[in-house]
Amino acid sequence: MFRFALGLQGIFQQATRSSLALCLYLLLQLCTSSLHAETLDLNQNWEYRWGDSPFQNGVPTWTREPAPEAWKPIDFPSNPPGRDGRKQVWYRTLIPDADWRDPVLYIFSVDLITEVYIDGQQIYHYGEFDAQGRGQFEGWPWHMITLPEDAAGKPIYFRVFSNYLDIGLWGEVKVMERTALYQRILEGSMHNLAIGAFSLIVALLCLLFAPFNRERLSLLSLALFSFSHAGLAISASQAKQLLFHNPLLWEYISAGCYYIMPVALALLLRSWYHERYPKLFNRLVALFGAYFIAALGLSLAGITSLANTYPPFDMLFAICVPSMLLVVARHWPHATRDQRLLLLATSIMTLLLLLDMAVAHSLLPWGQVPVGIGSLLFSLAVVVLSLNHFSRTQKALARLNATLEVRVAERTQALEELARREAQRVKALEFANLKRSMLDELVSEMESRADIEQALECLYRRTEDLCAPIPGALYKLNADEPLLPESQRWGDARDFPANLDIEADTSLGNRHLMLRIQYDTPLEQRKLEAILLLDFNEESALVGELSRNTLQLLFTRAIERINLTLSKVALQQLLNRFSYEDALTELHNRRYLDQMLTHELARGERTQTEIALVICDIDHFKQLNDNYGHAAGDHVLQIVAQQLRQAFRSSDIICRYGGEEFVVVLPDTCLEDARVRAEQLRMGMAAKSIVIEGDRIGSVTLSAGVSSGRAGTIDADTLLQQADQALYRAKQSGRNRVLTAPDEGEDPDQRGAVIQT
């Protein structure tokens, strides 16, 4: 929470600094400049060219070569004809000649990223182009491009990439003074900011009234609807970039609010018409809710671009939302006044959103659709409904107050009686809570132990504290004796035998409770470790306060939890063993190698020593499997593992890398020593004659690659790669040999094909 508060503080400080800087800049410009030059629309002399320009010394050649035959005229730099799946396009036009003091180029939006050039020099870029001229979606902000002082009359070039359905500039393209642009942005954003703030207030009012109203589901739906309207209004305001310049973040806010709006609408209509249409609205909620999660999740994961999630949603919205409103419009004559008001406001909002979609998909000429007006009308309708709900709530409170005193008196008398009864159980409940706390500590300590023996030792040490003041005894299992000998006793325990026969527990009497301490293992099934015997005699003060059944249930559940913890520790112990060991060869596996190689490199860096690594591979292993079967192959792998243990030191790390490959890490070892050991392994394996089920298959040879380096100057990937390249050369040069790395004459990109062994 503290870090989150610091993050909010940082964002607030950044927004404050940006706002102050903008205000100071505007004030300075207004004080030092006279009348602004005329704002000019760039809607003529546009040309386009499909594809991407080659670059020479970092300069796009298309900005240097006129090539008039390659450029084609276009009315506006957006969606040229003949796209055919192409994703790169260039546009150019001329900067008009006028008397500007601080000229900038204003672009309403770009699909999707762009670079701007004048005289071959890049003056602006939005998004990052890779070597193929592609990039990622970064949001749809407005763009302010500072023009050079001598830009008048010169051609300006736009390099554009888009994998969206639209490509190019969008909306308006103007040349104007910087101060005029700021004034335009601020003036044009005021209504959206006001609508957003008003919608937020309405949403908070709905949340405030929801807990006290029987129609709370409707109010919660209205709150969600208002929150989405607020997000859309604020994210649609161009002034958002002046406060916090993160276009992609604003785009996610806008998309999230846009995609959640049909969910809120369906929830609202379901609260009214769930009896008439029990499945319709649930399915719509599930449909749009799933799209909301999938669209944002896939775009955040980098699987798709956020821009590409809009067209499918627009299609769903255009089909489902009007249909949903038409369905409920059939019940207009029977709707309440509140429902009619909200349906009317929602219909207007939906109509404006559909018009905005049509503009966005070029079905209508460009223009700014007043979606914020629809949000404002909806918010005003919610305010009216909230006031009506508030008035009805006040009347209901007045009626309730008439009978409140009588109910309070009745409740007070009932609570006093309950308090008298509960006072008798306070001490016993304190005991139960104390034992549960002790049990929690014991379980936590047992779970932290590495093996089952340590966990049992911890349990036996704290058993008396856990059970006191109930008298008892603990009997531990002894494999050499048929009866369980008593190992521990506490309290005034009576009639406890020195050796317990667990089959004769019925002879102990009804006041005794026998509990088995045991655990389950995947290999041994259930294993008994000890017997806990408790004595609930009537003379115990605690038994008088708590019933015997309650105490027995308390301790029975405690032992069940302890047994479950022991089973967990035993399973974890077994899993820890299996997670680092190869089952066939009983060598360490690749996971263990990854951890220990990093550890040894860090240790070697501290001690300034060398480290070596050997990768060996069984020659013609696939042929051996084909000729003698996989059982023979497994046997050969076990023989190689045995030879590895004999050839290398106990301090070396021997792992099965995968398939027929093995890796050995040799700490504090130079390249030559590692090569000698690998050669000994190779010769020992080549000299060994292998017989499998009476079939003599002769010798099996190994190829090996050796690498080394000083810890601190080489990393794990490089060490493995060099040894792997040496192994590859050994395979290519005839197998049954050991080669070292690095080889100065080797092409590092030579290892491309998979070796078939």
Side-chain angles (χ1 to χ4, degrees):
M1 182 63 72
F2 179 69
R3 293 181 179 176
F4 178 71
L6 289 179
L8 290 179
Q9 182 181 4
I11 294 174
F12 176 75
Q13 290 175 348
Q14 178 182 354
T16 303
R17 287 195 295 268
S18 301
S19 302
L20 290 176
L22 175 61
C23 293
L24 290 174
Y25 180 83
L26 290 174
L27 181 61
L28 180 62
Q29 290 294 320
L30 290 173
C31 293
T32 57
S33 62
S34 56
L35 295 175
H36 298 311
E38 181 182 2
T39 298
L40 298 180
D41 291 315
L42 289 185
N43 52 14
Q44 295 180 351
N45 303 320
W46 283 99
E47 294 177 308
Y48 74 94
R49 186 173 180 179
W50 284 114
D52 197 13
S53 171
F55 281 72
Q56 185 176 6
N57 297 327
V59 177
T61 57
W62 288 1
T63 65
R64 294 297 194 186
E65 300 174 357
E69 70 283 354
W71 295 85
K72 299 179 182 179
I74 190 172
D75 294 335
F76 190 80
S78 178
N79 295 328
R83 181 174 182 179
D84 295 331
R86 286 178 281 200
K87 300 177 181 179
Q88 290 96 356
V89 68
W90 281 72
Y91 299 100
R92 71 178 183 183
T93 188
L94 293 176
I95 300 295
D97 197 359
D99 184 18
W100 283 296
R101 181 180 181 86
D102 186 12
V104 295
L105 180 65
Y106 164 69
I107 302 175
F108 185 83
S109 182
V110 172
D111 291 317
L112 291 172
I113 62 174
T114 185
E115 290 178 348
V116 185
Y117 293 86
I118 293 180
D119 289 335
Q121 299 295 321
Q122 184 184 117
I123 64 171
Y124 180 79
H125 77 93
Y126 176 69
E128 299 296 333
F129 286 78
D130 59 18
Q132 288 75 37
R134 300 171 179 268
Q136 299 293 328
F137 175 65
E138 300 289 347
W140 281 308
W142 55 272
H143 303 268
M144 180 177 66
I145 304 172
T146 302
L147 297 175
E149 295 180 357
D150 58 346
K154 292 185 177 181
I156 184 170
Y157 293 81
F158 297 83
R159 180 191 187 193
V160 177
F161 165 78
S162 175
N163 55 6
Y164 182 53
L165 55 89
D166 293 326
I167 184 170
L169 283 56
W170 198 80
E172 300 173 316
V173 183
K174 299 177 181 291
V175 180
M176 62 178 67
E177 290 284 353
R178 189 185 303 270
T179 53
L181 176 56
Y182 281 137
Q183 183 178 2
R184 173 191 179 93
I185 294 300
L186 294 175
E187 290 178 353
S189 300
M190 289 302 175
H191 69 285
N192 275 335
L193 294 176
I195 291 172
F198 186 72
S199 298
L200 283 176
I201 294 174
V202 170
L204 294 175
L205 286 174
C206 291
L207 291 178
L208 178 64
F209 284 114
F212 310 104
N213 196 293
R214 62 183 179 180
E215 299 179 2
R216 59 179 57 89
L217 293 180
S218 298
L219 290 178
L220 291 175
S221 303
L222 290 174
L224 182 60
F225 212 62
S226 298
F227 274 125
S228 63
H229 284 185
L232 283 176
I234 296 174
S235 59
S237 164
Q238 291 186 316
K240 66 180 182 294
Q241 288 177 227
L242 304 178
L243 298 176
F244 185 68
H245 188 71
N246 192 329
L248 192 56
L249 174 61
W250 283 114
E251 206 59 50
Y252 272 102
I253 294 174
S254 175
C257 295
Y258 185 36
Y259 295 163
I260 205 65
M261 185 180 297
V263 177
L265 178 60
L267 288 173
L268 176 63
L269 296 178
R270 185 184 68 175
S271 65
W272 295 346
Y273 302 105
H274 64 280
E275 294 181 355
R276 293 179 179 270
Y277 308 101
K279 296 182 179 179
L280 172 63
F281 297 110
N282 288 335
R283 291 174 178 172
L284 289 173
V285 168
L287 173 64
F288 284 104
Y291 192 91
F292 169 82
I293 295 172
L296 297 187
L298 292 176
S299 59
L300 286 171
I303 299 175
T304 186
S305 172
L306 182 63
N308 292 326
T309 64
Y310 276 93
F313 180 82
D314 290 343
M315 182 177 67
L316 281 177
F317 187 97
I319 295 175
C320 296
V321 174
S323 301
M324 182 167 45
L325 293 176
L326 289 175
V327 168
V328 299
R330 298 167 50 193
H331 305 283
W332 179 271
H334 307 289
T336 65
R337 184 176 58 183
D338 293 350
Q339 293 174 347
R340 291 181 180 181
L341 181 60
L342 280 180
L343 286 175
L344 182 61
T346 303
S347 299
I348 295 174
M349 180 67 188
T350 302
L351 177 61
L352 292 175
L353 286 174
L354 292 174
L355 292 175
D356 191 56
M357 290 180 199
V359 172
H361 296 292
S362 302
L363 300 177
L364 293 176
W366 187 87
Q368 291 191 355
V369 179
V371 178
I373 299 300
S375 299
L376 179 61
L377 291 176
F378 182 85
S379 300
L380 289 174
V382 174
V383 169
V384 172
L385 296 184
S386 299
L387 292 176
N388 290 337
H389 280 286
F390 180 77
S391 176
R392 290 195 293 268
T393 302
Q394 291 297 318
K395 293 179 181 179
L397 287 175
R399 291 192 299 268
L400 182 62
N401 188 56
T403 57
L404 184 59
E405 293 183 359
V406 176
R407 294 186 179 181
V408 167
E410 294 175 353
R411 288 295 180 90
T412 301
Q413 183 178 0
L415 288 174
E416 289 176 350
E417 179 63 25
L418 179 62
R420 285 193 297 270
R421 292 197 306 265
E422 290 298 317
Q424 300 173 357
R425 301 174 54 193
V426 168
K427 187 175 180 179
L429 291 177
E430 289 177 351
F431 169 79
N433 291 334
L434 174 62
K435 293 305 176 183
R436 290 191 184 97
S437 177
M438 295 175 63
L439 179 62
D440 291 340
E441 295 178 2
L442 173 60
V443 167
S444 178
E445 186 176 354
M446 292 170 60
E447 288 178 341
S448 66
R449 294 300 186 260
D451 54 46
I452 193 67
E453 289 76 16
Q454 296 180 14
L456 286 169
E457 180 182 354
C458 173
L459 170 62
Y460 296 153
R461 187 178 68 253
R462 301 185 61 176
T463 301
E464 180 177 349
D465 293 337
L466 181 65
C467 297
I470 301 297
L474 184 67
Y475 298 83
K476 296 183 183 178
L477 183 66
N478 189 336
D480 298 332
E481 299 181 13
L483 302 179
L484 276 64
E486 180 184 300
S487 61
Q488 190 177 349
R489 181 182 290 207
W490 58 90
D492 187 18
R494 304 176 184 178
D495 303 330
F496 280 7
N499 295 283
L500 181 65
D501 183 359
I502 60 175
E503 301 298 333
D505 57 316
T506 55
S507 63
L508 296 174
N510 294 331
R511 75 183 192 189
H512 294 92
L513 176 64
M514 178 184 293
L515 299 171
R516 295 171 177 254
I517 298 176
Q518 56 193 1
Y519 61 91
D520 297 328
T521 65
L523 302 179
E524 300 179 5
Q525 299 302 323
R526 180 160 296 180
K527 184 176 181 181
L528 178 67
E529 289 289 345
I531 294 291
L532 175 63
L533 198 58
L534 298 176
D535 184 8
F536 296 98
N537 60 75
E538 297 293 343
E539 298 177 4
S540 172
L542 188 62
V543 176
E545 295 172 353
L546 270 182
S547 68
R548 180 182 301 171
N549 291 336
T550 301
L551 286 172
Q552 290 182 351
L553 180 61
L554 175 66
F555 283 99
T556 299
R557 290 181 175 176
I559 295 301
E560 288 175 353
R561 185 177 175 190
I562 288 172
N563 291 342
L564 183 61
T565 303
L566 290 173
S567 300
K568 179 180 178 183
V569 173
L571 179 60
Q572 187 63 45
Q573 179 181 351
L574 186 62
L575 290 177
N576 287 339
R577 175 190 167 195
F578 288 160
S579 63
Y580 291 105
E581 184 178 289
D582 178 57
L584 177 63
T585 63
E586 297 185 355
L587 297 177
H588 296 302
N589 57 19
R590 184 168 183 173
R591 178 183 176 190
Y592 185 82
L593 170 67
D594 293 339
Q595 295 184 4
M596 292 307 296
L597 181 54
T598 303
H599 171 76
E600 289 299 329
L601 284 170
R603 187 183 66 83
E605 183 177 1
R606 292 194 299 271
T607 58
Q608 292 296 305
T609 57
E610 284 191 277
I611 185 171
L613 187 141
V614 177
I615 296 182
C616 59
D617 184 275
I618 302 175
D619 296 330
H620 302 294
F621 187 72
K622 183 177 184 299
Q623 183 177 349
L624 187 147
N625 271 333
D626 293 341
N627 293 338
Y628 298 98
H630 290 283
D634 291 346
H635 184 62
V636 170
L637 289 172
Q638 291 171 339
I639 292 175
V640 173
Q642 182 180 3
Q643 290 294 114
L644 282 165
R645 295 189 188 95
Q646 295 175 0
F648 291 94
R649 304 168 299 185
S650 60
S651 59
D652 297 332
I653 302 169
I654 308 173
C655 305
R656 183 181 179 188
Y657 197 57
E660 67 273 18
E661 282 191 331
F662 299 85
V663 174
V664 184
V665 179
L666 297 89
D668 305 328
T669 305
C670 65
L671 181 65
E672 178 59 23
D673 290 344
R675 187 196 65 77
V676 170
R677 292 183 180 276
E679 186 65 28
Q680 291 174 353
L681 170 67
R682 183 194 67 79
M683 291 188 298
M685 195 63 200
K688 193 176 186 63
S689 179
I690 300 176
V691 177
I692 300 177
E693 294 183 354
D695 294 333
R696 183 178 299 275
I697 66 174
S699 62
V700 174
T701 62
L702 299 176
S703 298
V706 185
S707 64
S708 71
R710 184 168 295 278
T713 63
I714 191 169
D715 57 24
D717 291 338
T718 304
L719 201 62
L720 282 166
Q721 183 182 10
Q722 290 180 354
D724 197 42
Q725 289 173 353
L727 172 62
Y728 175 75
R729 289 189 288 108
K731 289 283 189 180
Q732 291 294 94
S733 58
R735 294 181 170 83
N736 191 20
R737 63 195 62 208
V738 177
L739 295 182
T740 60
D743 181 5
E744 295 181 356
E746 179 185 8
D747 182 1
D749 296 328
Q750 182 181 2
R751 183 87 190 266
V754 178
I755 302 173
Q756 298 295 331
T757 60

